[in-house]
Amino acid sequence: MAEVRPFRAWRPAQGLAERIAALPYDVVNGKEAREETRREPFSFLAVDRPETQFEEEDADVTEERVYERAGTLLRQWMKEGSLQQEAEPCYYIYELERLGHVQTGIAACVSVDDYLNGVIRRHENTRSDKEEDRTRHVKACEAQTGPVFLAYRAAKAVEAVTERCRREACLYDFVSPDGITHRVWRIGRKEDIRAVHEAFEKVERLYIADGHHRCASAVRVAKECRRKCPDYTGKEPFNFILSVLFPDDQLTILEYNRVVRDLNGLTPQEFLQKVGKVFEITPMEEPYRPERKGLFGLYLEKKWYRLSRKPENGEKYEKTEASGDGSQKSDPARALDVAVLQRLILEPVLGIRDPRTDERIDFVGGIRGLQELEKRCDQDCAAAFSLYPTSIGELFSVADAGLLMPPKSTWFEPKLRSGLFIHSLKDENDVPADMLHSEERN
């Protein structure tokens, strides 16, 4: 069962939420982050991307002074009242609306131990440099500043509380520059807090949808704190991870497309010949976005093609692998379209063996559209591949099997905003037992 606790969030003062709320640090590049903080000095990217606060645009983001600036600025906003702390522990409803689609989550803190014991499941590896970056950021800020995006199998008990509390007045209601509507409500009554906590106690698994590095860095900081405080009780703030939890039936996953910088020494015709051994190649009149799993788009020399697997090259074994007793077991990671593309084209034809480290490949989120693939090929790439989105069911299957997806397999949209909820690691106030359980259970 999942331990999902209320907390005393630091959050924007009234009138500042729209100005402070910012996209996650890792979905904008350095230039975009600098432009945004110039446009809006209160943008939380000033804290999450503190290199933007230095005049030199080539400031080394790994320098200690950069992380120190993040902590100094965060504490300054707290001291001056731009960020204010909740008086009592509570949950928050965080609703996002994009193009008529609404998803409603619960902002809360989840247990580090649940990550360590497998209640919280991951589907991606983390990179050590990115994990180190966020670890240093958390330590400098003495706070977790960006929530981990978690998914769970929808639970009616959680839905009942959110529906009841959404009838009350919003704390925040604004539209971000990208057209996403953000609404936040507080869940502060003891009976509602108990209902949420007890509902999640019946949820067997939580899944990291987005934020593997933020989650891993929070766990890493917790382990360091535990080593320094071997008599820890388990109730200290460092034992919990700032998160927003969404039911699976409300989530939207967009495709995560690929661009490659060269054709591995092949001419375009030689490349198509090699691909044609495994795929039927159909020229398309318009930019091609696959309409179902198993199809791929290819953009090459300003032309679009549809790629469909040839039946005789169907790899009958792709969904299975041999188990220890000689039988066959499902391998949901191998069946992912991103894995098929890697296995049949990127590695054998283009020589890209490890997409996590090979600089010849780049990844383009579906939110940027097919035109971004064409733009990249006009600028610095030789070819692009459009994919059908990975489903939330595939994500759950991979995570439940203890397997990992290839990097950049999912792009969740809309993106959570950082700066709306901050979890301080200096907060010594524990959550009273009667707030989490009824008297009969205490």
Side-chain angles (χ1 to χ4, degrees):
M1 67 181 182
E3 174 67 10
V4 179
R5 295 169 70 89
F7 69 113
R8 295 181 61 216
W10 284 88
R11 56 184 182 82
Q14 286 300 321
L16 287 180
E18 181 176 357
R19 298 181 63 187
I20 289 176
L23 284 166
Y25 77 98
D26 53 353
V27 302
V28 295
N29 59 38
K31 179 181 177 182
E32 291 168 336
R34 193 171 290 274
E35 289 175 350
E36 177 61 14
T37 54
R38 285 172 178 164
R39 182 193 71 82
E40 175 51 80
F42 266 117
S43 169
F44 204 73
L45 284 171
V47 174
D48 269 353
R49 296 291 293 267
E51 70 271 19
T52 61
Q53 302 306 292
F54 293 85
E55 290 185 5
E56 60 268 35
E57 296 195 4
D58 59 347
D60 184 352
V61 299
T62 65
E63 288 186 22
E64 190 60 33
R65 65 181 182 130
V66 175
Y67 295 101
E68 289 175 355
R69 179 66 65 90
T72 298
L73 185 57
L74 180 62
R75 286 184 283 274
Q76 176 185 325
W77 287 2
M78 290 174 168
K79 184 177 180 179
E80 69 187 18
S82 300
L83 294 170
Q84 299 177 347
Q85 190 173 31
E86 202 74 56
E88 298 292 337
C90 61
Y91 296 110
Y92 302 88
I93 299 170
Y94 182 14
E95 181 179 276
L96 300 96
E97 182 175 352
R98 173 181 176 267
L99 302 177
H101 171 80
V102 177
Q103 63 185 54
T104 305
I106 300 291
C109 284
V110 298
S111 169
V112 165
D113 287 323
D114 279 353
Y115 180 88
L116 296 174
N117 64 27
V119 171
I120 298 173
R121 301 202 163 184
R122 64 192 182 106
H123 65 268
E124 285 185 4
N125 269 327
T126 56
R127 284 176 45 178
S128 58
D129 57 338
K130 290 189 174 183
E131 190 176 320
E132 173 68 12
D133 167 60
R134 284 303 98 178
T135 298
R136 294 176 66 184
H137 190 273
V138 170
K139 292 165 72 172
C141 291
E142 299 178 288
Q144 298 160 1
T145 61
V148 177
F149 183 161
L150 296 176
Y152 63 95
R153 292 183 172 89
K156 291 187 179 299
V158 178
E159 182 182 354
V161 178
T162 58
E163 284 301 309
R164 182 165 65 248
C165 294
R166 283 172 70 253
R167 300 190 189 106
E168 301 178 3
C170 286
L171 291 176
Y172 310 125
D173 186 350
F174 64 91
V175 179
S176 54
D178 58 356
I180 309 300
T181 299
H182 305 261
R183 302 184 184 94
V184 174
W185 293 262
R186 181 195 295 111
I187 301 178
R189 290 189 296 266
K190 282 188 177 182
E191 59 270 26
D192 292 329
I193 290 175
R194 281 197 296 268
V196 171
H197 187 263
E198 292 175 0
F200 276 112
E201 283 186 319
K202 299 174 184 176
V203 173
E204 293 185 2
R205 299 282 183 266
L206 302 176
Y207 301 85
I208 302 175
D210 203 2
H212 283 78
H213 290 93
R214 291 189 288 277
C215 193
S217 64
V219 173
R220 186 169 165 182
V221 170
K223 287 181 175 179
E224 289 184 17
C225 291
R226 289 177 175 186
R227 285 194 294 270
K228 294 177 181 178
C229 305
D231 58 345
Y232 71 91
T233 66
K235 298 179 180 179
E236 297 85 354
F238 60 73
N239 292 296
F240 299 94
I241 307 167
L242 176 65
S243 306
V244 183
L245 304 91
F246 290 91
D248 62 334
D249 58 2
Q250 295 184 14
L251 298 180
T252 300
I253 304 179
L254 301 184
E255 64 275 16
Y256 219 140
N257 300 315
R258 273 79 168 130
V259 291
V260 293
R261 301 191 189 283
D262 60 64
L263 298 180
N264 198 29
L266 302 171
T267 66
Q269 287 68 36
E270 290 171 337
F271 172 70
L272 288 174
Q273 287 174 358
K274 286 182 176 290
V275 172
K277 293 179 180 179
V278 183
F279 291 89
E280 294 285 353
I281 303 175
T282 305
M284 306 299 288
E285 296 295 328
E286 301 290 337
Y288 178 64
R289 175 179 282 108
E291 62 269 23
R292 62 173 172 80
K293 178 177 169 61
L295 297 177
F296 303 86
L298 166 65
Y299 184 66
L300 178 70
E301 289 196 310
K302 299 186 180 297
K303 296 179 182 178
W304 279 97
Y305 302 89
R306 182 181 66 186
L307 306 181
S308 59
R309 298 276 294 281
K310 290 182 176 179
E312 63 269 25
N313 292 292
E315 277 193 289
K316 295 179 181 179
Y317 54 84
E318 80 172 11
K319 292 187 179 182
T320 62
E321 63 177 7
S323 60
D325 58 7
S327 62
Q328 300 291 309
K329 63 179 181 179
S330 175
D331 184 355
R334 186 177 175 82
L336 297 171
D337 278 358
V338 289
V340 172
L341 180 69
Q342 174 64 32
R343 188 167 65 251
L344 297 185
I345 297 180
L346 296 181
E347 181 171 354
V349 180
L350 294 175
I352 298 172
R353 292 177 174 79
D354 188 349
R356 292 177 300 172
T357 59
D358 198 315
E359 295 183 354
R360 297 169 52 230
I361 188 171
D362 202 359
F363 308 91
V364 180
I367 191 67
R368 295 184 180 269
L370 297 181
Q371 65 272 19
E372 181 67 15
L373 301 184
E374 296 179 352
K375 178 181 175 182
R376 288 296 304 273
C377 287
D378 289 341
Q379 291 177 343
D380 60 354
C381 292
F385 299 92
S386 59
L387 290 88
Y388 189 74
T390 302
S391 72
I392 190 69
E394 288 177 312
L395 185 155
F396 284 0
S397 295
V398 170
D400 283 338
L403 301 172
L404 299 175
M405 292 182 177
K408 309 298 184 183
S409 294
T410 56
W411 180 282
F412 284 87
E413 196 65 37
K415 295 293 183 185
L416 308 185
R417 271 16 183 207
S418 295
L420 292 178
F421 316 102
I422 297 162
H423 176 222
S424 171
L425 301 188
K426 297 178 66 177
D427 186 359
E428 298 299 331
N429 289 5
D430 186 29
V431 181
D434 66 345
M435 183 175 282
L436 302 181
H437 298 291
S438 59
E439 292 183 2
E440 303 86 71
R441 295 186 57 182
N442 288 334

